[in-house]
Amino acid sequence: MKSRREYYETRKILMTGSRLCYSLSFLLFFVCMFISKGFITIAALISILILGGILCSFYAHRQKEFLFCPKCGSKNIVKKAFFGMPYAITEECPDCHKKIDLDKPIDKD
């Protein structure tokens, strides 16, 4: 199994990918309003980007299930930034103040 640090990095990458897909689809939506031809192509690109964003969001949410303190079960070990994007993972639980080995596989706790 993966370690908590790997789950954190995977979640961070997936959330960045989903925000990128949503932003590109939003940009393409406005580009579509200013051009006179190619609506079908842009609509297909928008739908693919939105589907990609949804899939990235779904898999990022699944990674969140493994980011907790093994001692007390607190989910506060990941610090979040704007729009809930993770920006740091702590090696000490903020609730029980126990040291967490982030590089140890999840199933070895």
Side-chain angles (χ1 to χ4, degrees):
M1 292 211 61
K2 296 192 306 187
S3 66
R4 281 183 174 72
R5 189 176 312 275
E6 290 170 343
Y7 278 112
Y8 164 75
E9 293 296 331
T10 305
R11 177 173 164 75
K12 188 175 179 179
I13 290 169
L14 285 170
M15 288 187 77
T16 303
S18 71
R19 299 308 189 268
L20 183 66
C21 286
Y22 292 143
S23 299
L24 287 174
S25 65
F26 188 70
L27 179 71
L28 280 176
F29 177 73
F30 283 114
V31 167
C32 184
M33 291 185 177
F34 293 115
I35 63 170
S36 61
K37 295 184 180 180
F39 292 117
I40 301 298
T41 305
I42 293 177
L45 286 174
I46 289 172
S47 64
I48 288 171
L49 284 171
I50 289 176
L51 179 64
I54 290 170
L55 287 174
C56 285
S57 296
F58 175 73
Y59 287 119
H61 184 71
R62 289 183 63 190
Q63 301 293 320
K64 184 180 179 182
E65 297 173 6
F66 299 105
L67 297 173
F68 62 90
C69 174
K71 314 287 193 279
C72 67
S74 172
K75 297 201 180 251
N76 295 331
I77 65 170
V78 176
K79 295 179 183 173
K80 297 175 186 150
F82 194 58
F83 288 127
M85 294 285 293
Y87 75 91
I89 187 167
T90 60
E91 292 188 4
E92 181 179 320
C93 178
D95 295 333
C96 68
H97 302 291
K98 301 285 183 179
K99 184 163 172 48
I100 302 169
D101 186 10
L102 298 176
D103 297 319
K104 187 177 176 183
I106 295 286
D107 59 346
K108 303 289 184 195
D109 283 335

